[in-house]
Amino acid sequence: MMSRERVEAQLEVGDRTGNPGYAPARLVMERGQGMYLFDTEGRQYLDFLAGIAVNCLGHCHPKVVEAIQGQAARLMQVSNTFFSDVQIRVQEKLTRVSFGDRVYLCNSGAEANEAAIKLARRRQRVVLGQTGRSTIITFKGSFHGRTLAAITATGQPKYHEGFEPLMPGFVYASFNDLGSVEALIGEDTVAVMVEPIQGEGGMVPAAPGFLEGLRALCDAHGALLIFDEVQTGMGRTGRMFAYEGYGVVPDIMTVAKGLGGGVPIGAMVSTEEVFKGFVRGSHASTFGGNPVMCAAAEVVLDELARPGFLERVVEVGGYLKERLEGLESAIPIKEVRGVGLMVGAEVGGQAGRIVERARELGLILNTAGGEVLRFVPPLIVERGDVDRAMELLVAAMGDVAASGA
Ligand SMILES: *Cc1c(COP(=O)(O)O)cnc(C)c1O
C-alpha cells in the first residue's frame, strides 16, 4: 500500500507531464476486478462508470484477460496488408449481430465517426455523382468525439472554442425536434448523424417517433442516416444496438466504447451498397483490426450473445431506474432518464459535488451535460450492487446538502 505522500508525489508528476485538459481525481488507480476498482492506497470503489461505458464485462474479466494474453503471445500486429484470423471472426460476428454487411475496424469512437463522415460524403459525391451534396446535419447537445471533424459534428460550442476553423459542411438541428431537421434537410444534405440516446449531452433518449421521422426525412431527400452508437451500442441499452429497440435501421452505424470490453477498438458498420463509397485506398488505419484488440472484442461479442445476457441488462437497468425514481435523498432528483444500463439522474448544479463525495465514500460515477449524474456500470452489474450504490449515493447527497451551497 502506498503512503499519501507517495501518491501526492505521483500526482504532481502526472499533472506536470500530462494533458492539462484533464482533471483527474486526487488518487491513483491500481487494480480492477468485476464491479470494483482499487487505488494504490488500498481503497475500494464500486464502479458505476466502467471507464465511461467501456468495461462492459466488468474489470479484468477472466475470459477477456485470457484472450488478450493468448493473442499477445501469438500475434500482435500485422497491419491491413494482411488479415488475421481473429480480425476476420470479429468482422463476421459484427455483421451477424447487426444490419451491416461490412465493417471497418479502427481504434476509437472519434475514428469510427470520421470514417462514417468520409464514407457518407464519398458515397454521395463520388459514387452517386451528387457533388452538390455537402452538408451533414447533426444535433445540438450531441457528442461525436474529439478529432476536428468529430468536434465539428458535435453540436456543443464548448468543444469548438479555440479550434476554429472547423470542418466545413456541418449544420445543427435540435434533438427530438423533427421540424428543425425538416428546415435544414434538402438537396445538399449528405447525411443526418445522430446518437439514439445523447450521452455526454445529458443522457437524453430519442423521443418516440423521432428516429422514425429522421429515417423518413433521409429517405425522402436521398440522405444517409448515421447512428453514432459509440455509447449506446454493445448491449448498453439491453439490445445489442439501440437502433433495434427503436425499430429504425440506419445506413451507417459507429461503435467503440464497450466493443473491446476495456481495450481501444472501434468499428464502422454499414451495408454493401453504402460501402461502395470506399474503394481501394480510400480509407485506412495502421492499427485498425489489431489482433489483440480483436481478441478482446471477440470475447465481448460472444458473451453478449449468450442466452439471457441482454435480458439481464434490461432487468437490472429497470431496477436501477426504479430505485433512482424512488430515492429519498437530501438533494431531489428532478428526472430519471435512459434505457437499459444507460441511465441519467438530473440533480441540478450540485452534480459535480455529488460525484466527488460519492467517490470519497466509495462509489464511482460521473456527470453528463453538467447537471446529470451518469450511471453506465458494467453490464454484469447485479441488483445487490445497485442497492449498495443507492446507499452510497444517498449518503453522498446528504453530505453535499449538509455542507451547503
Ligand atoms: C465517447 C463517445 C465518442 C468518442 O469516442 P472516443 O473513443 O473517445 O473517440 C463518440 N460518440 C459518442 C456517442 C460517445 O459517447
Side-chain angles (χ1 to χ4, degrees):
M1 212 183 296
M2 213 170 268
S3 69
R4 189 62 210 169
E5 291 68 37
R6 266 298 295 291
V7 173
E8 299 278 3
Q10 283 193 337
L11 289 170
E12 190 277 322
V13 178
D15 286 341
R16 181 159 44 79
T17 56
N19 174 10
Y22 292 142
R26 302 291 84 194
L27 54 88
V28 179
M29 287 301 184
E30 183 174 62
R31 192 164 63 81
Q33 190 184 2
M35 287 295 301
Y36 286 90
L37 275 168
F38 301 85
D39 69 18
T40 52
E41 293 161 278
R43 283 183 297 251
Q44 172 178 328
Y45 305 87
L46 180 58
D47 187 6
F48 268 58
L49 181 59
I52 317 190
V54 169
N55 301 291
C56 54
L57 302 178
H59 290 280
C60 301
H61 188 282
K63 287 187 186 168
V64 176
V65 172
E66 194 193 329
I68 290 172
Q69 286 177 339
Q71 188 60 47
R74 255 190 320 275
L75 179 66
M76 276 194 216
Q77 159 76 2
V78 289
S79 88
N80 292 286
T81 308
F82 305 100
F83 272 127
S84 67
D85 51 356
V86 67
Q87 176 185 347
I88 291 172
R89 292 199 299 273
V90 165
Q91 285 180 192
E92 201 269 333
K93 284 178 183 183
L94 267 171
T95 63
R96 215 179 325 135
V97 296
S98 73
F99 70 92
D101 304 312
R102 288 178 179 271
V103 176
Y104 165 77
L105 291 169
C106 55
N107 314 286
S108 69
E111 272 180 78
N113 286 333
E114 288 278 338
I117 291 163
K118 285 179 71 176
L119 178 64
R121 280 189 177 175
R122 200 173 185 285
R123 188 257 188 185
Q124 301 281 49
R125 298 168 68 99
V126 179
V127 179
L128 303 185
Q130 301 186 352
T131 48
R133 290 196 186 264
S134 60
T135 354
I136 295 181
I137 299 173
T138 66
F139 292 89
K140 291 169 190 159
S142 64
F143 183 80
H144 299 293
R146 301 290 200 141
T147 58
L148 261 175
I151 59 165
T152 308
T154 294
Q156 300 191 57
K158 69 176 175 185
Y159 293 105
H160 300 166
E161 213 185 291
F163 297 118
E164 299 85 356
L166 299 176
M167 196 67 52
F170 288 85
V171 292
Y172 310 105
S174 298
F175 192 62
N176 283 334
D177 175 358
L178 273 179
S180 74
V181 182
E182 256 179 303
L184 292 171
I185 201 165
E187 295 282 280
D188 68 332
T189 307
V190 168
V192 174
M193 181 166 170
V194 66
E195 296 157 87
I197 302 168
Q198 286 194 338
E200 307 300 309
M203 312 296 267
V204 188
F210 180 61
L211 298 179
E212 287 94 322
L214 292 183
R215 179 74 271 175
L217 282 172
C218 284
D219 291 345
H221 291 90
L224 295 171
L225 182 59
I226 305 171
F227 281 180
D228 178 345
E229 293 233 24
V230 169
Q231 193 162 156
T232 55
M234 303 316 295
R236 180 54 53 192
T237 66
R239 303 288 190 126
M240 190 63 87
F241 304 105
Y243 77 79
E244 299 167 41
Y246 281 99
V248 178
V249 180
D251 299 297
I252 302 175
M253 169 176 76
T254 55
V255 292
K257 291 200 163 89
L259 177 58
V263 298
I265 178 169
M268 175 185 68
V269 176
S270 187
T271 59
E272 180 65 30
E273 185 51 40
V274 173
F275 252 108
K276 291 192 171 124
F278 280 174
V279 295
R280 186 171 179 170
S282 294
H283 193 58
S285 161
T286 300
F287 288 120
N290 175 275
V292 181
M293 305 307 131
C294 284
E298 185 175 30
V299 174
V300 169
L301 284 160
D302 289 347
E303 290 297 304
L304 266 53
R306 282 163 81 100
F309 188 101
L310 295 175
E311 287 79 355
R312 267 204 61 253
V313 171
V314 173
E315 201 269 321
V316 182
Y319 182 63
L320 170 59
K321 268 179 99 170
E322 194 181 295
R323 286 297 317 270
L324 282 167
E325 275 157 1
L327 213 62
E328 293 188 17
S329 51
I331 295 171
I333 293 177
K334 295 173 193 161
E335 193 186 9
V336 178
R337 311 188 274 264
V339 183
L341 284 167
M342 184 168 172
V343 176
E346 194 172 332
V347 291
Q350 303 277 51
R353 293 184 65 210
I354 295 169
V355 165
E356 214 166 292
R357 184 62 190 148
R359 187 182 60 239
E360 288 167 4
L361 297 177
L363 171 67
I364 299 199
L365 301 172
N366 81 347
T367 61
E371 306 205 334
V372 179
L373 300 174
R374 163 160 46 188
F375 303 83
V376 283
L379 305 182
I380 57 158
V381 63
E382 294 181 359
R383 274 171 175 255
D385 301 315
V386 173
D387 290 336
R388 180 73 189 130
M390 293 304 108
E391 273 172 38
L392 294 168
L393 180 62
V394 168
M397 287 167 131
D399 291 350
V400 170
S403 72

